[in-house]
Amino acid sequence: MLLERGWQRWQEHFATAGVILLGVLAVLSFGLVVRARSADRAAPAVTTPALAEPTAAQLPIPLPSASPSMSVRPVNSIVTERVPIASTVDLAADGEIDWVHWGEQGRYTLERKADGDFVILEGTPDETRTKVTNSPQRYRWTGGSPLAQATGVTSGVRTCGAGKGFTLTAPATTERTTLRLYLGVSSGRGRLQASLSTGGEIYTDRWAQRGTGLSTAAYTLNYRATGAGKISVQWITEESFGGDCGGVVLFAAALR
């Protein structure tokens, strides 16, 4: 009898404990499920976006090289200055490459640098050419041909009438070269025109002398070409004043 009652009490205790245990397990299970769902919401799946191609605005701008390898091509240019002629002109010192003087031994003669290789050339002489000896400046030279040396020279050559004059040429290269011309005009207006065979602008200048006097000037032409070529210069009587052989005068030229 006592055993049966004891056994019943143990069964009651086990039943109560089992109910409590099942309740605890249920609570724990519910907490785990809620936590798992919260974790899923807090940490969504991470996806790696595809890399987009850069646009033109996003591309880096290339910087210029510190030492560019391209060489600068020279331009066809003529820089000219007209100035008074010095009282004495030493053509040997002025024309390191070549020099020419006109008229000392006659209206169709010229004296030039003996070893100048005929670099400065004149076109066909005009038939109206005459010799003049009234230059206010004095020319001198050494190392010339056919006249080896001279000093105190006042001669030159002159043309008469509109449209008459002189044409000269000299080599042009990519190196800067200087051609100096010693010119005059009497009873007329002269026009100087210079151009390069390789292109570029044509330089033009004019000046006039009225009356029977002689006006002189030196032109310095600094020029440079894009390649091998030549510079051409025309010194022409644009207008003649009066009937006494108005026109332009040519004394000398020097190249350096």
Side-chain angles (χ1 to χ4, degrees):
M1 191 68 176
L2 291 173
L3 289 171
E4 290 178 358
R5 291 180 178 176
W7 177 246
Q8 290 176 350
R9 289 178 180 176
W10 276 108
Q11 286 180 335
E12 292 175 356
H13 286 305
F14 279 122
T16 303
V19 171
I20 294 172
L21 180 60
L22 289 174
V24 171
L25 291 175
V27 171
L28 290 176
S29 299
F30 179 77
L32 291 173
V33 171
V34 172
R35 185 175 181 181
R37 291 180 177 177
S38 299
D40 290 341
R41 293 175 182 174
V46 178
T47 58
T48 303
L51 295 177
E53 292 294 331
T55 64
Q58 295 171 330
L59 293 176
I61 299 175
L63 297 176
S65 173
S67 55
S69 58
M70 294 180 62
S71 59
V72 179
R73 184 178 176 85
V75 299
N76 295 306
S77 65
I78 304 174
V79 180
T80 304
E81 181 182 20
R82 172 161 55 99
V83 297
I85 301 176
S87 59
T88 301
V89 178
D90 188 341
L91 293 175
D94 202 18
E96 296 178 359
I97 299 175
D98 195 17
W99 59 263
V100 182
H101 178 271
W102 280 267
E104 177 62 10
Q105 300 178 81
R107 63 175 182 161
Y108 289 115
T109 66
L110 54 82
E111 303 77 43
R112 64 184 314 136
K113 183 178 172 70
D115 57 354
D117 296 328
F118 293 84
V119 172
I120 300 173
L121 295 175
E122 182 191 1
T124 303
D126 194 284
E127 69 277 4
T128 65
R129 177 181 303 208
T130 61
K131 176 180 176 177
V132 297
T133 57
N134 61 341
S135 170
Q137 292 83 30
R138 302 292 185 266
Y139 295 88
R140 66 185 182 191
W141 63 82
T142 58
S145 175
L147 192 59
Q149 61 183 14
T151 185
V153 174
T154 62
S155 58
V157 289
R158 176 180 179 179
T159 61
C160 302
K164 307 298 183 179
F166 310 95
T167 300
L168 306 177
T169 61
T173 67
T174 57
E175 299 295 326
R176 180 67 64 181
T177 308
T178 299
L179 176 64
R180 187 166 289 119
L181 306 171
Y182 299 96
L183 309 175
V185 61
S186 178
S187 299
R189 181 174 63 248
R191 183 188 74 236
L192 182 79
Q193 185 170 292
S195 62
L196 290 168
S197 62
T198 51
E201 295 183 0
I202 297 175
Y203 172 83
T204 303
D205 188 44
R206 297 171 173 85
W207 106 81
Q209 167 66 35
R210 296 185 179 273
T212 58
L214 173 66
S215 177
T216 63
Y219 279 91
T220 300
L221 283 67
N222 291 299
Y223 62 93
R224 188 181 184 191
T226 56
K230 66 179 180 179
I231 186 172
S232 298
V233 180
Q234 292 182 337
W235 178 228
I236 304 296
T237 303
E238 192 169 62
E239 185 178 359
S240 179
F241 307 141
D244 186 23
C245 191
V248 294
V249 182
L250 174 63
F251 294 106
L255 187 70
R256 61 184 310 163

